[in-house]
Amino acid sequence: MSEKLSFRALQLSNEQRNAYGLRYHDFARYRKHCANRTHRIRSTLKMTHGKGREFKKLPPLKPEMIKDGHLHLLLMESERAWAYSQDLLAQSQKNTEHATTLRHSATGRFRRSVNWSTQLLSHCQTLYASSRLSAEGLLEVTVYTLILNGRFLRYREEFDDALVQLGVARHLLDELAGAARTSRDQALATLFGDEIGPEIRYCAHELGRAEAYNVDKIVAEVAATNRNVLVDGCDALLEAFKKQEESTNKRKTLQEIVWEGEPVPVRNPELVDVFLKVQDAQAKLESSDAQGKSNSKKSVAAYDAILLALSDAEEVAKKLADAQTSSGPRDISFVHAYIVYQLLSRRIQRDLRLMQALLPTTKGATDGRVYPAVVKLLDTVMQSLIQMRALSIVDDNSDLASGVDARISYTKASRCLYLARCFVAVKKYAEALTLHRHAAIHIRETQSHLSVSSEIVFFPLTATELSKLETETSTDQAQAKREWLAYNGARSRRIRRTGFGRVEEEGGLEVADEGEKDKDKEKKTQMVVEEREEEPQVPVSRGGLSGLLGGWWGK
């Protein structure tokens, strides 16, 4: 069989570790997963050792019969033994009574892991010699083996040899990241390089090096003299790898992410994948805007793709932030805050554009049925701005924080204005005038924040727009006062005389004349007097002794 294999050890191990427990350092779960996976792979390849207690030794594997499954099996066996050793070491730190036994068992498992990785490397070298495996695949297996050897030597406190192994592995990872054809491959190599960086620093410190903190310098010194010793034909292998990468036309790279003039490095393959989706969705949105569809409903629907991509990116970044798998000047917590900021800004842009699509329909409308929808959109915008204000990257920048505060006050003023129009439509003028006063207060707050804030791209706000909102608020307030006065005038006692001895209110309601009102009052008074005369008089009882003896006493 001469089929070409596509085996990548670093990518496969990274995916399995993140998916099955090692994101949260659960080595027991990962060991069980590796055991189950090796059993499934053996069953698929028909490489089981018999049934029951009967053991059948497998025949030696010929190079021409090797498939991807055989390489996966060796990798999973190595991962299983390594995870078991780390689990035993963690148990030894908790169980002090059996710590020596557990550490001895962990050493045996660690040694078995190195043995499995060495077998994997020998098979891959044979496949590369027969042109069945790419240079990239062989380099990744070589790096994987060097990392395991270096960690095992560091565990045994052989820091000199461990530094050499880890230094050469870091050098190869830098070469892989520098010539990677995709941003995901670059992030994968960078991720493994960041993991072994502290171990190199620790070994250099134990050896008493003067500049143990300078990892790059140590790697350059170690790799220059030892890479051809540890890796057979290292220079030729790197040259072949670079030629293969240059011959590949398809290069999917991630554009540089900049915040406050500084690049934000994305050092995780999972983040690279979601950022590439965001990049594609953003390109589609910009193309739709370039076609002049900024105020149409189709442009509003174009935001769905980028919002979905940013939501996926936020979910991935939150998982990585909870696990705290990366460190550095721009750590994963910062990247998560940056993604949330972009998500909220795009959501605000979508809501503002939807408002622009709805508001032209309000011209000449008297029922005001569109205003509640506008108020709902402004509620969403205000909620997004409040969430954005609570982000750490916004709070650290005073100009940006003032800009967000200005937008919050402006949104509150706009909300009060449109909510007042809703109340005017149902003739609740007192509530509308109260909202107009609140809108004036928020406009003054916006003026104070806007004077010391910086410009925000996703929500442009100028002094002209603010004065326009102030003018609309004052105009609506005056109109609401006039309508309220006219509405209450229909109930007032402002009378107008007619030629028929009757008077009418300005609203058209008939009332009695003043003379007739006096006559009605006299009639009512006479009726009250007559009622009082018809009431029976109750005899007044005499007090004293005569009242007790009755009328008999006075006769």
Side-chain angles (χ1 to χ4, degrees), residues 10 52 75 174 184 453 470 493 498 510 526 555:
L10 296 182
L75 179 64
D174 292 340
R184 193 182 195 283
S453 64
E470 187 176 5
R493 294 299 180 181
T498 61
E510 295 184 356
Q526 292 177 0
K555 293 182 180 179

Side-chain angles (χ1 to χ4, degrees), residues 145-416:
T145 306
L146 289 173
I147 290 175
L148 277 182
N149 284 329
R151 287 176 174 172
F152 181 65
L153 293 172
R154 182 183 62 83
Y155 168 72
R156 297 181 61 182
E157 297 183 355
E158 298 177 11
F159 299 110
D160 195 2
D161 295 337
L163 182 62
V164 173
Q165 297 275 344
L166 295 174
V168 174
R170 173 65 183 270
H171 173 70
L172 294 179
L173 286 171
D174 292 340
E175 293 291 338
L176 286 172
R181 66 177 181 274
T182 62
S183 297
R184 193 182 195 283
D185 295 341
Q186 182 181 6
L188 180 66
T190 305
L191 177 65
F192 277 91
D194 291 342
E195 287 182 357
I196 64 176
E199 300 180 53
I200 295 174
R201 189 183 303 114
Y202 177 76
C203 293
H205 175 74
E206 291 294 330
L207 292 173
R209 285 180 172 261
E211 297 182 358
Y213 57 88
N214 195 346
V215 177
D216 294 334
K217 183 178 180 180
I218 295 172
V219 169
E221 293 176 358
V222 171
T225 57
N226 294 283
R227 67 177 188 177
N228 288 315
V229 176
L230 295 178
V231 183
D232 295 337
C234 181
D235 295 334
L237 183 61
L238 289 175
E239 186 178 356
F241 166 68
K242 293 178 181 180
K243 288 183 179 179
Q244 289 179 2
E245 296 299 310
E246 291 176 358
S247 62
T248 305
N249 296 327
K250 186 178 180 181
R251 297 178 61 88
K252 193 172 184 180
T253 58
L254 181 66
Q255 296 179 358
E256 187 179 20
I257 301 174
V258 181
W259 176 260
E260 296 181 359
E262 296 182 5
V264 180
V266 182
R267 314 177 75 87
N268 193 287
E270 299 178 54
L271 283 178
V272 170
D273 292 339
V274 292
F275 269 117
L276 286 173
K277 294 180 182 178
V278 173
Q279 180 177 304
D280 295 340
Q282 185 174 357
K284 293 180 181 178
L285 180 62
E286 292 175 356
S287 64
S288 65
D289 291 342
Q291 294 176 2
K293 300 179 181 180
S294 59
N295 293 328
S296 62
K297 295 183 179 179
K298 292 183 179 179
S299 65
V300 177
Y303 279 90
D304 294 340
I306 190 169
L307 288 176
L308 180 60
L310 285 171
S311 298
D312 296 340
E314 191 273 334
E315 184 178 358
V316 172
K318 188 175 185 303
K319 289 181 180 179
L320 295 175
D322 293 339
Q324 296 180 357
T325 56
S326 63
S327 60
R330 296 289 186 179
D331 56 356
I332 194 63
S333 299
F334 174 83
V335 176
H336 177 254
Y338 173 80
I339 293 173
V340 174
Y341 178 85
Q342 294 295 327
L343 175 61
L344 294 175
S345 63
R346 291 296 183 179
R347 191 177 295 168
I348 291 171
Q349 280 184 335
R350 190 268 314 271
D351 294 336
L352 293 177
R353 188 162 294 186
L354 186 58
M355 283 179 54
Q356 293 177 0
L358 289 176
L359 282 178
T361 60
T362 63
K363 294 182 179 180
T366 55
D367 54 359
R369 290 179 294 179
V370 180
Y371 295 138
V374 176
V375 171
K376 184 64 177 176
L377 288 173
L378 288 172
D379 285 336
T380 308
V381 172
M382 186 169 60
Q383 182 181 3
S384 300
L385 286 171
I386 292 173
Q387 293 178 3
M388 182 181 292
R389 183 62 180 84
L391 294 174
S392 59
I393 60 175
V394 177
D395 197 27
D396 294 340
N397 190 340
S398 58
D399 294 338
L400 182 59
S402 299
V404 174
D405 289 334
R407 270 73 181 173
I408 292 175
S409 300
Y410 180 81
T411 306
K412 288 181 179 179
S414 302
R415 181 182 178 277
C416 290

Side-chain angles (χ1 to χ4, degrees), residues 484-502:
W484 193 17
L485 185 61
Y487 180 70
N488 288 338
R491 302 178 182 179
S492 64
R493 294 299 180 181
R494 291 175 295 178
I495 59 176
R496 180 172 56 86
R497 290 189 176 275
T498 61
F500 300 98
R502 307 283 293 179

